Amino acid sequence: AIHEGHVVSAQELTVFLRPLFTQNSRNLILFLQDRLRIDDFTYLSESYGSKNPFQNEILQSSPSSLVLPAVDWEAMRYLLSILQESGDWKLTNVTNLNVSQLEVNASEPNLLVVQLQPLTSDLREISTLETIAENDKAIGRVTMNLQEQGINFSVIYTAVRPSRISRRTDVVTELRRQLMAVEEEDGTSYPPLNVTTGNYTCILFYASNFSLEANSSVFIDLTNATFVTQDVDISASECSDSNSTLSLKYTKPVNGISSLEIRFLMTNKFYEGSARKWFTLDSVEIVQDGEKFATFNVSVISAPAEYSFHCQLVGTSNLYPARLIPSNNEAKNWDIFISSLQIQGFNIENNQFSYASDCTGFFSPGIWMGLVTSIILLWILTYGIHMIMQLTTNSRFDDPKGPALSVPQTE
């Protein structure tokens, strides 16, 4: 039993999961979502009634279950490492949620890591609802497939980070602009991808979610392959003092695509207006199967040459502060979603991100609203004081014991 408000530590989590490592059937499925919180289950279930996205009854049908309302963020960072170190697992990353061809050898312990679709954005709650519903269906497909094969298994459903962060008074200041350049323990579950030339790092790239969608039907989540398992070829990347190219090559990321290459082209130039060098992400290119070539122009992604660049949302959506704009017909077939992007292609020191220039300006809409309201109130106060200062007292007064005061019309 876990009392309310208790946060499970990494040591406690290992103890809770120990029975999974000692049982006879050691087939474990890890369903990993980008963000989730225990409150999401009750909120989404009660608010949407019949549209409850959690229709899967695997928890109720299981002979034994364990629900941990809150797990330490640091413990979740190393969950996959904890599982891998607990036994001689055969690790399988399931990136294509169409699991009709999923085969598991029950004679040896298996660890299946299923990367679920990331939640799109907090800007549209209905999108979050639909995504969670699709993830719930994916969990049902995977578990049903294993049940039909007569394979015993255990399931872990969790997320890399919470969907909402409680703003305690002692950490509220730390939650603002807490980038990897300032503090590496930013709740990240993996280190950034680095490209080295010789003995030094020339490109750093990080994202909490890196996914694509082709033809509005094929979803490709590259987060795990890029940062966790690093099943990506970066040998074609190039670095120089004036130009850098980050090349990410994937082999069979999904069924129907044999190869996929994504390039980030960056330049470093001197600008006389600011009297300093700036690095700019000029374009993003997608090459499918070596022949289909898509190009995207980039807006608002630039920073001083000594800095890195950070943006919470980058992609093809019009709602994102940093947009990737299709520049040819092939690019119109792709949608790109990148969350918590941080990239640096020049002047990297100590293999770490430099101070980050954020895409969000210091004058946000909230700040502008506050400034305009303050100016209006200040104008009203100034006008009131001015009118009060115009008031004058009478120069003559009527004496009740004397004759009546006569005021001529001219006065």
Side-chain angles (χ1 to χ4, degrees), residues 244-267:
S244 292
T245 300
L246 173 61
S247 174
L248 306 175
K249 294 182 179 180
Y250 305 89
T251 303
K252 293 183 178 180
V254 293
N255 289 340
I257 299 179
S258 59
S259 66
L260 187 67
E261 182 182 5
I262 304 174
R263 302 172 187 154
F264 295 83
L265 283 71
M266 297 169 283
T267 58

PDB file of all heavy atoms in Angstrom, residues 244-267:
ATOM      1  N   SER A 244      27.523  23.711 -41.243  1.00  0.00           N
ATOM      2  CA  SER A 244      27.391  22.424 -40.559  1.00  0.00           C
ATOM      3  C   SER A 244      26.117  21.749 -41.063  1.00  0.00           C
ATOM      4  O   SER A 244      25.100  22.407 -41.293  1.00  0.00           O
ATOM      5  CB  SER A 244      27.323  22.592 -39.036  1.00  0.00           C
ATOM      6  OG  SER A 244      28.555  23.044 -38.525  1.00  0.00           O
ATOM      7  N   THR A 245      26.197  20.446 -41.213  1.00  0.00           N
ATOM      8  CA  THR A 245      25.047  19.657 -41.656  1.00  0.00           C
ATOM      9  C   THR A 245      24.892  18.457 -40.736  1.00  0.00           C
ATOM     10  O   THR A 245      25.824  17.650 -40.606  1.00  0.00           O
ATOM     11  CB  THR A 245      25.220  19.177 -43.107  1.00  0.00           C
ATOM     12  OG1 THR A 245      25.360  20.307 -43.969  1.00  0.00           O
ATOM     13  CG2 THR A 245      24.018  18.356 -43.536  1.00  0.00           C
ATOM     14  N   LEU A 246      23.743  18.357 -40.112  1.00  0.00           N
ATOM     15  CA  LEU A 246      23.413  17.194 -39.296  1.00  0.00           C
ATOM     16  C   LEU A 246      22.596  16.239 -40.157  1.00  0.00           C
ATOM     17  O   LEU A 246      21.482  16.554 -40.582  1.00  0.00           O
ATOM     18  CB  LEU A 246      22.614  17.612 -38.061  1.00  0.00           C
ATOM     19  CG  LEU A 246      22.048  16.472 -37.199  1.00  0.00           C
ATOM     20  CD1 LEU A 246      23.175  15.609 -36.642  1.00  0.00           C
ATOM     21  CD2 LEU A 246      21.182  17.021 -36.070  1.00  0.00           C
ATOM     22  N   SER A 247      23.153  15.071 -40.426  1.00  0.00           N
ATOM     23  CA  SER A 247      22.496  14.073 -41.264  1.00  0.00           C
ATOM     24  C   SER A 247      22.082  12.884 -40.405  1.00  0.00           C
ATOM     25  O   SER A 247      22.917  12.271 -39.731  1.00  0.00           O
ATOM     26  CB  SER A 247      23.438  13.613 -42.384  1.00  0.00           C
ATOM     27  OG  SER A 247      22.872  12.545 -43.115  1.00  0.00           O
ATOM     28  N   LEU A 248      20.801  12.565 -40.419  1.00  0.00           N
ATOM     29  CA  LEU A 248      20.255  11.442 -39.654  1.00  0.00           C
ATOM     30  C   LEU A 248      19.679  10.441 -40.648  1.00  0.00           C
ATOM     31  O   LEU A 248      18.710  10.724 -41.343  1.00  0.00           O
ATOM     32  CB  LEU A 248      19.165  11.923 -38.698  1.00  0.00           C
ATOM     33  CG  LEU A 248      19.538  13.070 -37.739  1.00  0.00           C
ATOM     34  CD1 LEU A 248      18.321  13.522 -36.950  1.00  0.00           C
ATOM     35  CD2 LEU A 248      20.653  12.638 -36.802  1.00  0.00           C
ATOM     36  N   LYS A 249      20.282   9.240 -40.719  1.00  0.00           N
ATOM     37  CA  LYS A 249      19.834   8.207 -41.637  1.00  0.00           C
ATOM     38  C   LYS A 249      19.235   7.040 -40.849  1.00  0.00           C
ATOM     39  O   LYS A 249      19.863   6.517 -39.924  1.00  0.00           O
ATOM     40  CB  LYS A 249      20.997   7.711 -42.501  1.00  0.00           C
ATOM     41  CG  LYS A 249      21.556   8.762 -43.456  1.00  0.00           C
ATOM     42  CD  LYS A 249      22.668   8.172 -44.309  1.00  0.00           C
ATOM     43  CE  LYS A 249      23.216   9.208 -45.294  1.00  0.00           C
ATOM     44  NZ  LYS A 249      24.305   8.640 -46.132  1.00  0.00           N
ATOM     45  N   TYR A 250      18.029   6.642 -41.247  1.00  0.00           N
ATOM     46  CA  TYR A 250      17.324   5.541 -40.588  1.00  0.00           C
ATOM     47  C   TYR A 250      17.038   4.446 -41.622  1.00  0.00           C
ATOM     48  O   TYR A 250      16.663   4.741 -42.762  1.00  0.00           O
ATOM     49  CB  TYR A 250      16.014   6.025 -39.972  1.00  0.00           C
ATOM     50  CG  TYR A 250      16.165   7.187 -39.026  1.00  0.00           C
ATOM     51  CD1 TYR A 250      16.116   8.504 -39.502  1.00  0.00           C
ATOM     52  CD2 TYR A 250      16.373   6.994 -37.668  1.00  0.00           C
ATOM     53  CE1 TYR A 250      16.257   9.576 -38.644  1.00  0.00           C
ATOM     54  CE2 TYR A 250      16.521   8.065 -36.803  1.00  0.00           C
ATOM     55  CZ  TYR A 250      16.459   9.347 -37.300  1.00  0.00           C
ATOM     56  OH  TYR A 250      16.595  10.415 -36.439  1.00  0.00           O
ATOM     57  N   THR A 251      17.213   3.209 -41.203  1.00  0.00           N
ATOM     58  CA  THR A 251      16.932   2.065 -42.058  1.00  0.00           C
ATOM     59  C   THR A 251      15.616   1.422 -41.646  1.00  0.00           C
ATOM     60  O   THR A 251      15.459   1.010 -40.491  1.00  0.00           O
ATOM     61  CB  THR A 251      18.064   1.034 -41.981  1.00  0.00           C
ATOM     62  OG1 THR A 251      19.301   1.655 -42.347  1.00  0.00           O
ATOM     63  CG2 THR A 251      17.802  -0.136 -42.916  1.00  0.00           C
ATOM     64  N   LYS A 252      14.672   1.380 -42.560  1.00  0.00           N
ATOM     65  CA  LYS A 252      13.342   0.812 -42.342  1.00  0.00           C
ATOM     66  C   LYS A 252      12.701   1.340 -41.055  1.00  0.00           C
ATOM     67  O   LYS A 252      12.424   0.575 -40.126  1.00  0.00           O
ATOM     68  CB  LYS A 252      13.419  -0.715 -42.292  1.00  0.00           C
ATOM     69  CG  LYS A 252      13.792  -1.341 -43.625  1.00  0.00           C
ATOM     70  CD  LYS A 252      13.778  -2.862 -43.547  1.00  0.00           C
ATOM     71  CE  LYS A 252      14.101  -3.484 -44.905  1.00  0.00           C
ATOM     72  NZ  LYS A 252      14.105  -4.965 -44.856  1.00  0.00           N
ATOM     73  N   PRO A 253      12.484   2.641 -40.976  1.00  0.00           N
ATOM     74  CA  PRO A 253      11.835   3.179 -39.764  1.00  0.00           C
ATOM     75  C   PRO A 253      10.413   2.672 -39.592  1.00  0.00           C
ATOM     76  O   PRO A 253       9.941   2.501 -38.480  1.00  0.00           O
ATOM     77  CB  PRO A 253      11.887   4.692 -39.985  1.00  0.00           C
ATOM     78  CG  PRO A 253      11.966   4.860 -41.469  1.00  0.00           C
ATOM     79  CD  PRO A 253      12.739   3.687 -41.971  1.00  0.00           C
ATOM     80  N   VAL A 254       9.703   2.433 -40.714  1.00  0.00           N
ATOM     81  CA  VAL A 254       8.361   1.848 -40.701  1.00  0.00           C
ATOM     82  C   VAL A 254       8.219   0.992 -41.949  1.00  0.00           C
ATOM     83  O   VAL A 254       9.021   1.068 -42.877  1.00  0.00           O
ATOM     84  CB  VAL A 254       7.248   2.932 -40.675  1.00  0.00           C
ATOM     85  CG1 VAL A 254       7.253   3.686 -39.367  1.00  0.00           C
ATOM     86  CG2 VAL A 254       7.389   3.880 -41.858  1.00  0.00           C
ATOM     87  N   ASN A 255       7.193   0.166 -41.946  1.00  0.00           N
ATOM     88  CA  ASN A 255       6.918  -0.638 -43.133  1.00  0.00           C
ATOM     89  C   ASN A 255       6.557   0.263 -44.308  1.00  0.00           C
ATOM     90  O   ASN A 255       5.776   1.198 -44.173  1.00  0.00           O
ATOM     91  CB  ASN A 255       5.772  -1.610 -42.863  1.00  0.00           C
ATOM     92  CG  ASN A 255       6.180  -2.726 -41.919  1.00  0.00           C
ATOM     93  OD1 ASN A 255       7.365  -3.007 -41.747  1.00  0.00           O
ATOM     94  ND2 ASN A 255       5.200  -3.359 -41.301  1.00  0.00           N
ATOM     95  N   GLY A 256       7.152  -0.047 -45.463  1.00  0.00           N
ATOM     96  CA  GLY A 256       6.889   0.738 -46.657  1.00  0.00           C
ATOM     97  C   GLY A 256       7.958   1.764 -46.963  1.00  0.00           C
ATOM     98  O   GLY A 256       7.975   2.322 -48.054  1.00  0.00           O
ATOM     99  N   ILE A 257       8.838   2.058 -45.996  1.00  0.00           N
ATOM    100  CA  ILE A 257       9.941   2.999 -46.198  1.00  0.00           C
ATOM    101  C   ILE A 257      11.235   2.267 -45.875  1.00  0.00           C
ATOM    102  O   ILE A 257      11.475   1.892 -44.728  1.00  0.00           O
ATOM    103  CB  ILE A 257       9.796   4.253 -45.317  1.00  0.00           C
ATOM    104  CG1 ILE A 257       8.507   5.003 -45.665  1.00  0.00           C
ATOM    105  CG2 ILE A 257      11.004   5.171 -45.490  1.00  0.00           C
ATOM    106  CD1 ILE A 257       8.274   6.247 -44.836  1.00  0.00           C
ATOM    107  N   SER A 258      12.072   2.049 -46.875  1.00  0.00           N
ATOM    108  CA  SER A 258      13.307   1.295 -46.662  1.00  0.00           C
ATOM    109  C   SER A 258      14.416   2.152 -46.071  1.00  0.00           C
ATOM    110  O   SER A 258      15.244   1.665 -45.298  1.00  0.00           O
ATOM    111  CB  SER A 258      13.771   0.684 -47.989  1.00  0.00           C
ATOM    112  OG  SER A 258      14.000   1.705 -48.962  1.00  0.00           O
ATOM    113  N   SER A 259      14.452   3.422 -46.429  1.00  0.00           N
ATOM    114  CA  SER A 259      15.473   4.319 -45.881  1.00  0.00           C
ATOM    115  C   SER A 259      14.910   5.722 -45.768  1.00  0.00           C
ATOM    116  O   SER A 259      14.072   6.134 -46.579  1.00  0.00           O
ATOM    117  CB  SER A 259      16.737   4.325 -46.750  1.00  0.00           C
ATOM    118  OG  SER A 259      16.464   4.879 -48.017  1.00  0.00           O
ATOM    119  N   LEU A 260      15.383   6.430 -44.784  1.00  0.00           N
ATOM    120  CA  LEU A 260      14.930   7.801 -44.540  1.00  0.00           C
ATOM    121  C   LEU A 260      16.102   8.611 -44.018  1.00  0.00           C
ATOM    122  O   LEU A 260      16.776   8.204 -43.058  1.00  0.00           O
ATOM    123  CB  LEU A 260      13.788   7.816 -43.524  1.00  0.00           C
ATOM    124  CG  LEU A 260      13.092   9.166 -43.294  1.00  0.00           C
ATOM    125  CD1 LEU A 260      12.332   9.580 -44.546  1.00  0.00           C
ATOM    126  CD2 LEU A 260      12.132   9.071 -42.116  1.00  0.00           C
ATOM    127  N   GLU A 261      16.366   9.730 -44.664  1.00  0.00           N
ATOM    128  CA  GLU A 261      17.438  10.626 -44.230  1.00  0.00           C
ATOM    129  C   GLU A 261      16.864  12.015 -43.974  1.00  0.00           C
ATOM    130  O   GLU A 261      16.097  12.538 -44.780  1.00  0.00           O
ATOM    131  CB  GLU A 261      18.545  10.719 -45.271  1.00  0.00           C
ATOM    132  CG  GLU A 261      19.699  11.619 -44.823  1.00  0.00           C
ATOM    133  CD  GLU A 261      20.797  11.748 -45.875  1.00  0.00           C
ATOM    134  OE1 GLU A 261      20.608  11.202 -46.994  1.00  0.00           O
ATOM    135  OE2 GLU A 261      21.820  12.399 -45.589  1.00  0.00           O
ATOM    136  N   ILE A 262      17.234  12.597 -42.838  1.00  0.00           N
ATOM    137  CA  ILE A 262      16.802  13.943 -42.464  1.00  0.00           C
ATOM    138  C   ILE A 262      18.047  14.790 -42.263  1.00  0.00           C
ATOM    139  O   ILE A 262      18.937  14.418 -41.498  1.00  0.00           O
ATOM    140  CB  ILE A 262      15.946  13.916 -41.198  1.00  0.00           C
ATOM    141  CG1 ILE A 262      14.759  12.975 -41.389  1.00  0.00           C
ATOM    142  CG2 ILE A 262      15.466  15.319 -40.837  1.00  0.00           C
ATOM    143  CD1 ILE A 262      13.940  12.781 -40.137  1.00  0.00           C
ATOM    144  N   ARG A 263      18.096  15.926 -42.934  1.00  0.00           N
ATOM    145  CA  ARG A 263      19.269  16.796 -42.849  1.00  0.00           C
ATOM    146  C   ARG A 263      18.874  18.153 -42.275  1.00  0.00           C
ATOM    147  O   ARG A 263      17.858  18.734 -42.678  1.00  0.00           O
ATOM    148  CB  ARG A 263      19.888  17.008 -44.232  1.00  0.00           C
ATOM    149  CG  ARG A 263      20.312  15.734 -44.946  1.00  0.00           C
ATOM    150  CD  ARG A 263      20.720  16.057 -46.368  1.00  0.00           C
ATOM    151  NE  ARG A 263      20.978  14.866 -47.161  1.00  0.00           N
ATOM    152  CZ  ARG A 263      20.868  14.817 -48.486  1.00  0.00           C
ATOM    153  NH1 ARG A 263      20.484  15.919 -49.148  1.00  0.00           N
ATOM    154  NH2 ARG A 263      21.109  13.709 -49.139  1.00  0.00           N
ATOM    155  N   PHE A 264      19.689  18.647 -41.374  1.00  0.00           N
ATOM    156  CA  PHE A 264      19.547  19.988 -40.815  1.00  0.00           C
ATOM    157  C   PHE A 264      20.756  20.797 -41.297  1.00  0.00           C
ATOM    158  O   PHE A 264      21.891  20.513 -40.899  1.00  0.00           O
ATOM    159  CB  PHE A 264      19.505  19.947 -39.287  1.00  0.00           C
ATOM    160  CG  PHE A 264      18.309  19.241 -38.725  1.00  0.00           C
ATOM    161  CD1 PHE A 264      18.303  17.854 -38.604  1.00  0.00           C
ATOM    162  CD2 PHE A 264      17.189  19.954 -38.316  1.00  0.00           C
ATOM    163  CE1 PHE A 264      17.192  17.192 -38.077  1.00  0.00           C
ATOM    164  CE2 PHE A 264      16.083  19.302 -37.802  1.00  0.00           C
ATOM    165  CZ  PHE A 264      16.088  17.918 -37.686  1.00  0.00           C
ATOM    166  N   LEU A 265      20.510  21.791 -42.144  1.00  0.00           N
ATOM    167  CA  LEU A 265      21.593  22.587 -42.735  1.00  0.00           C
ATOM    168  C   LEU A 265      21.724  23.909 -41.989  1.00  0.00           C
ATOM    169  O   LEU A 265      20.769  24.694 -41.917  1.00  0.00           O
ATOM    170  CB  LEU A 265      21.324  22.853 -44.220  1.00  0.00           C
ATOM    171  CG  LEU A 265      21.586  21.689 -45.189  1.00  0.00           C
ATOM    172  CD1 LEU A 265      20.547  20.585 -45.019  1.00  0.00           C
ATOM    173  CD2 LEU A 265      21.597  22.170 -46.630  1.00  0.00           C
ATOM    174  N   MET A 266      22.907  24.155 -41.437  1.00  0.00           N
ATOM    175  CA  MET A 266      23.163  25.341 -40.627  1.00  0.00           C
ATOM    176  C   MET A 266      24.334  26.131 -41.186  1.00  0.00           C
ATOM    177  O   MET A 266      25.280  25.551 -41.732  1.00  0.00           O
ATOM    178  CB  MET A 266      23.456  24.930 -39.172  1.00  0.00           C
ATOM    179  CG  MET A 266      22.296  24.250 -38.474  1.00  0.00           C
ATOM    180  SD  MET A 266      22.773  23.511 -36.884  1.00  0.00           S
ATOM    181  CE  MET A 266      23.620  22.034 -37.450  1.00  0.00           C
ATOM    182  N   THR A 267      24.274  27.460 -41.036  1.00  0.00           N
ATOM    183  CA  THR A 267      25.361  28.336 -41.467  1.00  0.00           C
ATOM    184  C   THR A 267      25.760  29.260 -40.324  1.00  0.00           C
ATOM    185  O   THR A 267      24.966  29.559 -39.433  1.00  0.00           O
ATOM    186  CB  THR A 267      24.952  29.192 -42.682  1.00  0.00           C
ATOM    187  OG1 THR A 267      23.800  29.969 -42.342  1.00  0.00           O
ATOM    188  CG2 THR A 267      24.650  28.318 -43.882  1.00  0.00           C
TER     189      THR A 267
END
